[in-house]
C-alpha cells in the first residue's frame, strides 16, 4: 500500500534513519512525502527535505515522529504549538502520551518503543495509542512493520518493555560474548566460535518461536542424564544465573520508572 500522507521527523538520529530506510525500501512512502527537522541541515539523506524549523514540520505534516531525547523535548517544547499535525508518533523513552499531547497541542498520540535491531529490519516495537483513530493506528503500525515486529502493549507496562526488548539486545550480546569466550577457551578460533554461537542463538530462538512446548521441556530435550549439556545447565542453576538475569531486568525496569518520573 502507498500512503499519501506527509510524514515529518523532529530529530534524525539512527532510529529515525532506520525508519526512513524502512519506508523507502518498502515503498510505503516516497522521499518527497517526508521532511526532517534537525539543527544540522547539511546532512541530506536519501532525498528527504531537511529544515531546522520545527514549526515547518508541525504545519506541513499530518504525522510527525518525535525522534529526540526527552531532555531536548522539554527544551524545544514551545516550537510545537499552533500546528496542523493530526497525530504525533513518539519514540522517546520516559515521556507519557498525555504529556506529549498537551505539549504538542495534538489530540492523537501513538507511542512506540523500538529497539536497535530495527536498524537492520529485525527489531521489535511495542506500541500504545492515546486517542488515535483507526486510520492513524493502521498507518503507524505499517511504518514500524517495515523494520520490526509490532506488539501492542498498554502504556503502563512500557517500563517493563524497556527492560525486555528495549535493553534486551545488550543482554543477548553479553551472553553471546560469554559463549564465544567459552568456545575460545576450548580451543576454537574467535571466528569459529562466533559463527557457531550466532547460528546456535538464531536456531534456538526459531525453535522457541515455532514450538508449542514449554521452555523447560525444550531445555530438558537437549540434556541427557550424565551427559554433557546437563553439566552446563546444572552449573547455571547452582550459580542462580536465571535469578541474576531476572534481578538485572527488574533493576532496569525500576530505573526506567525513575527516569519517567524525573
Amino acid at each position: 500500500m502507498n500512503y499519501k500522507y506527509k510524514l515529518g521527523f523532529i530529530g534524525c538520529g539512527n532510529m529515525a534513519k532506520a525508519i526512513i530506510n524502512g519506508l523507502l525500501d518498502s515503498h510505503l512512502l516516497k522521499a518527497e512525502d517526508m521532511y526532517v527537522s534537525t539543527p544540522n541541515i547539511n546532512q541530506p539523506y536519501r532525498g528527504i527535505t531537511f529544515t531546522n524549523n520545527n514549526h515547518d514540520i508541525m504545519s506541513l505534516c499530518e504525522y510527525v515522529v518525535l525522534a529526540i531525547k526527552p531532555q531536548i523535548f522539554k527544551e524545544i517544547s514551545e516550537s510545537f504549538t499552533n500546528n496542523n499535525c493530526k497525530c504525533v508518533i513518539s519514540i522517546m523513552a520516559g515521556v507519557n502520551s498525555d504529556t506529549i499531547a498537551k505539549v504538542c497541542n495534538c489530540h492523537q498520540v501513538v507511542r512506540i518503543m523500538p529497539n536497535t535491531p530495527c536498524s537492520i529490519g529485525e527489531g521489535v516495537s511495542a506500541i500504545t495509542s492515546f486517542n488515535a483513530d483507526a486510520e492513524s493506528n493502521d498507518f503507524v503500525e505499517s511504518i514500524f512493520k517495515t523494520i520490526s515486529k509490532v506488539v501492542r502493549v498498554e502504556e503502563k507496562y512500557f517500563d517493563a518493555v524497556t527492560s525486555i526488548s528495549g535493553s534486551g539486545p545488550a543482554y543477548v550480546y553479553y551472553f553471546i560474548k560469554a559463549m564465544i569466550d567459552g568456545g575460545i577457551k576450548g580451543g576454537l578460533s574467535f571466528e569459529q566460535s562466533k559463527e557457531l554461537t550466532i547460528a546456535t542463538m538464531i536456531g534456538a530462538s526459531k525453535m522457541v518461536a515455532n514450538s508449542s512446548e514449554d521452555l523447560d521441556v525444550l531445555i530438558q530435550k537437549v540434556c541427557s542424564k550424565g551427559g554433557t549439556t546437563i553439566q552446563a545447565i546444572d552449573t547455571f542453576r547452582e550459580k542462580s544465573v536465571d535469578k541474576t538475569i531476572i534481578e538485572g531486568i527488574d533493576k532496569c525496569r525500576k530505573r526506567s520508572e525513575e527516569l519517567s518520573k524525573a
Side-chain angles (χ1 to χ4, degrees):
M1 180 184 293
N2 289 106
Y3 288 99
K4 300 300 181 182
Y5 307 123
K6 298 296 184 184
L7 178 66
F9 292 82
I10 295 179
C12 194
N14 292 331
M15 191 57 68
K17 289 178 180 177
I19 296 167
I20 290 169
N21 289 338
L23 289 168
L24 292 178
D25 294 344
S26 66
H27 307 291
L28 200 67
L29 288 179
K30 298 177 181 178
E32 55 263 35
D33 296 322
M34 289 186 272
Y35 301 82
V36 173
S37 175
T38 179
N40 182 14
I41 63 173
N42 297 316
Q43 54 163 348
Y45 191 73
R46 298 196 65 173
I48 308 296
T49 300
F50 274 61
T51 178
N52 58 7
N53 191 326
N54 296 331
H55 285 293
D56 290 345
I57 301 296
M58 298 300 286
S59 61
L60 280 170
C61 303
E62 297 101 321
Y63 293 88
V64 175
V65 178
L66 297 180
I68 51 179
K69 296 184 184 298
Q71 57 269 33
I72 295 179
F73 176 67
K74 295 175 182 177
E75 292 172 6
I76 63 175
S77 58
E78 72 281 353
S79 66
F80 300 138
T81 57
N82 301 319
N83 63 77
N84 297 313
C85 175
K86 174 185 178 181
C87 178
V88 171
I89 305 161
S90 172
I91 61 172
M92 295 185 298
V95 183
N96 65 44
S97 297
D98 183 59
T99 299
I100 294 166
K102 290 175 181 175
V103 171
C104 295
N105 192 28
C106 186
H107 183 64
Q108 297 188 43
V109 174
V110 180
R111 193 175 163 202
I112 310 287
M113 178 67 71
N115 63 2
T116 53
C118 287
S119 64
I120 58 168
E122 294 289 343
V124 61
S125 299
I127 180 171
T128 192
S129 301
F130 180 82
N131 296 327
D133 59 25
E135 181 182 25
S136 294
N137 280 318
D138 288 345
F139 179 51
V140 177
E141 285 197 20
S142 296
I143 291 172
F144 285 88
K145 282 179 179 177
T146 67
I147 57 173
S148 66
K149 293 182 180 297
V150 173
V151 179
R152 282 263 165 198
V153 179
E154 291 181 59
E155 185 165 18
K156 64 182 178 180
Y157 298 122
F158 258 45
D159 293 310
V161 169
T162 296
S163 70
I164 297 297
S165 60
S167 300
Y171 315 157
V172 177
Y173 304 151
Y174 189 90
F175 196 77
I176 287 173
K177 182 178 184 300
M179 286 183 65
I180 292 172
D181 289 345
I184 292 171
K185 186 176 181 180
L188 295 172
S189 69
F190 172 80
E191 290 75 16
Q192 290 170 326
S193 191
K194 180 181 177 182
E195 185 173 3
L196 289 166
T197 296
I198 291 172
T200 300
M201 293 288 285
I202 293 171
S205 296
K206 289 182 177 179
M207 284 283 288
V208 173
N210 293 309
S211 176
S212 60
E213 293 182 306
D214 187 86
L215 278 165
D216 285 329
V217 174
L218 292 177
I219 292 169
Q220 195 59 41
K221 281 189 171 183
V222 190
C223 300
S224 56
K225 190 174 181 179
T228 57
T229 309
I230 194 63
Q231 298 300 312
I233 295 299
D234 280 347
T235 300
F236 298 155
R237 287 170 176 161
E238 288 167 10
K239 301 291 185 181
S240 297
V241 172
D242 57 343
K243 291 180 181 178
T244 301
I245 292 170
I246 294 168
E247 182 182 352
I249 290 171
D250 194 49
K251 287 185 176 181
C252 178
R253 176 184 55 78
K254 288 177 179 176
R255 180 56 178 159
S256 179
E257 291 172 353
E258 290 173 0
L259 292 174
S260 297
K261 296 172 184 175

